[in-house]
Amino acid sequence: MTEEELQQLKDELKKEPVKEKKVRQKRSPKGFMPYFLVFVSLSLSIILLYFILDKLLMPSFVSDREIVEMPLVQGLNIEDAKMKLLKKNLHVSVSGREINSEFPADIILRQTPKQGKMVKSGRTVFLTLSKGPDSIKVPYLIGHDIRRASVLLMRRGLELGDTLHEYSMEYKAKAIIQQSLKPGSMVPYGSEVDIIVSNGPEDYIEVPQLIGVELNDLRKLLNESGLEMGSVSYIEDETYLPFTVGAQNPKAGERVPAGTLINVSVYIEPPKF
């Protein structure tokens, strides 16, 4: 190759652009942050949109639900209120509890919506319940039986505690003769009141169950119990075993003085003609 041709080749090479090497740069972690924020914002927007549609917009567009009149549940206990509202296909939510000296615990103080308002079935009713008073006056239980005492305590938010039995010349059998908390004293809600119940006088005897006992064994059973045989009447009835006791006076379980006469009626077969 001549010098002239070599020079011409060099000149042509100088005219071609030099390709720059691309240097691959590593992306910084900060570069992903905008994409992450966009993803989180989009997710939250979808959740919020679902809540608005499901809880707020959709119920307002549902027009095929039955319209019912809101019943009165104020003053009822929570269990009775739930049953009453369930019959109207209404739901219950307890929105709060308040100390109240007039109403015991679990009695409804307020309701929303109020009585008489027309609402759609499936509506949630918000109830405010009583927590009962801070302190409660103990009722007078002396002389009452256990059932009556339980009712008096329950109405005040108190509970019946332990029950003991003692003989008493002053109080008849089954009457309360003593209580652990002084009547009229103020005690915390839910306190227990222990009681002592009279068995009657110590020399009194509990009448045994005589129904079904054969007449031949009756006198011996009464004597062993410290009681006496009284009058015997007869009941014509072929259904029962003849000469067995069908009725007694005093009744079984009553406490009577020793030596009391026990009158009985026994079955006999009716005459056959």
Side-chain angles (χ1 to χ4, degrees):
M1 176 179 297
T2 62
E3 291 183 2
E4 184 179 352
E5 291 177 343
L6 181 60
Q7 187 62 39
Q8 185 178 358
L9 179 59
K10 289 181 178 179
D11 293 339
E12 290 179 355
L13 290 175
K14 289 180 179 181
K15 293 179 180 181
E16 293 183 0
V18 178
K19 296 182 180 180
E20 296 182 358
K21 292 185 180 179
K22 295 183 179 180
V23 179
R24 181 176 294 179
Q25 297 180 352
K26 294 184 179 180
R27 290 188 177 182
S28 172
K30 295 182 179 180
F32 291 97
M33 186 58 66
Y35 299 97
F36 176 76
L37 293 177
V38 170
F39 173 78
V40 172
S41 300
L42 182 60
S43 300
L44 292 176
S45 299
I46 293 174
I47 294 173
L48 180 61
L49 180 61
Y50 173 81
F51 177 82
I52 293 174
L53 290 174
D54 183 64
K55 302 296 183 182
L56 301 179
L57 296 181
M58 288 303 296
S60 64
F61 288 105
V62 176
S63 59
D64 58 347
R65 289 186 296 178
E66 181 183 4
I67 302 297
V68 297
E69 182 178 357
M70 179 62 59
L72 177 65
V73 295
Q74 185 174 333
L76 300 178
N77 65 56
I78 183 62
E79 295 303 325
D80 291 340
K82 286 181 179 179
M83 294 297 296
K84 193 171 184 178
L85 293 171
L86 183 61
K87 291 179 180 179
K88 296 278 188 177
N89 195 23
L90 298 171
H91 303 296
V92 173
S93 176
V94 177
S95 58
R97 294 177 181 267
E98 298 178 0
I99 294 174
N100 190 286
S101 59
E102 183 178 358
F103 297 99
D106 293 330
I107 297 297
I108 297 169
L109 302 177
R110 293 186 298 277
Q111 65 178 86
T112 303
K114 295 183 178 180
Q115 176 200 12
K117 186 174 181 180
M118 305 305 293
V119 298
K120 292 180 179 180
S121 62
R123 172 73 180 268
T124 297
V125 182
F126 297 94
L127 305 175
T128 302
L129 306 184
S130 170
K131 293 175 66 175
D134 277 335
S135 58
I136 302 166
K137 182 182 291 186
V138 179
Y140 188 82
L141 305 179
I142 307 302
H144 293 297
D145 59 23
I146 295 179
R147 171 178 284 186
R148 177 61 178 167
S150 298
V151 172
L152 291 174
L153 293 173
M154 181 182 64
R155 287 177 177 175
R156 288 164 173 78
L158 301 174
E159 297 182 8
L160 184 64
D162 296 331
T163 300
L164 301 177
H165 293 81
E166 291 183 2
Y167 292 106
S168 172
M169 295 295 295
E170 182 179 0
Y171 293 93
K172 64 181 181 179
K174 300 183 180 178
I176 295 174
I177 60 178
Q178 188 175 335
Q179 59 187 89
S180 61
L181 299 181
K182 184 180 179 181
S185 61
M186 304 301 293
V187 297
Y189 173 83
S191 297
E192 291 187 351
V193 182
D194 301 330
I195 59 173
I196 298 177
V197 179
S198 171
N199 281 334
E202 190 170 1
D203 60 346
Y204 272 40
I205 298 170
E206 183 174 321
V207 178
Q209 176 64 262
L210 304 176
I211 306 300
V213 175
E214 293 187 6
L215 185 59
N216 293 335
D217 300 329
L218 182 60
R219 191 179 301 277
K220 179 182 178 182
L221 177 59
L222 291 173
N223 289 338
E224 291 176 350
S225 301
L227 303 170
E228 298 292 338
M229 185 76 164
S231 64
V232 178
S233 59
Y234 299 95
I235 306 172
E236 293 183 357
D237 193 330
E238 61 183 1
T239 306
Y240 300 93
L241 187 66
F243 298 105
T244 57
V245 177
Q248 67 181 89
N249 185 32
K251 296 180 180 180
E254 292 187 24
R255 299 191 66 83
V256 297
T260 297
L261 298 177
I262 308 299
N263 304 317
V264 297
S265 297
V266 297
Y267 295 111
I268 60 172
E269 292 184 358
K272 297 180 180 179
F273 300 100

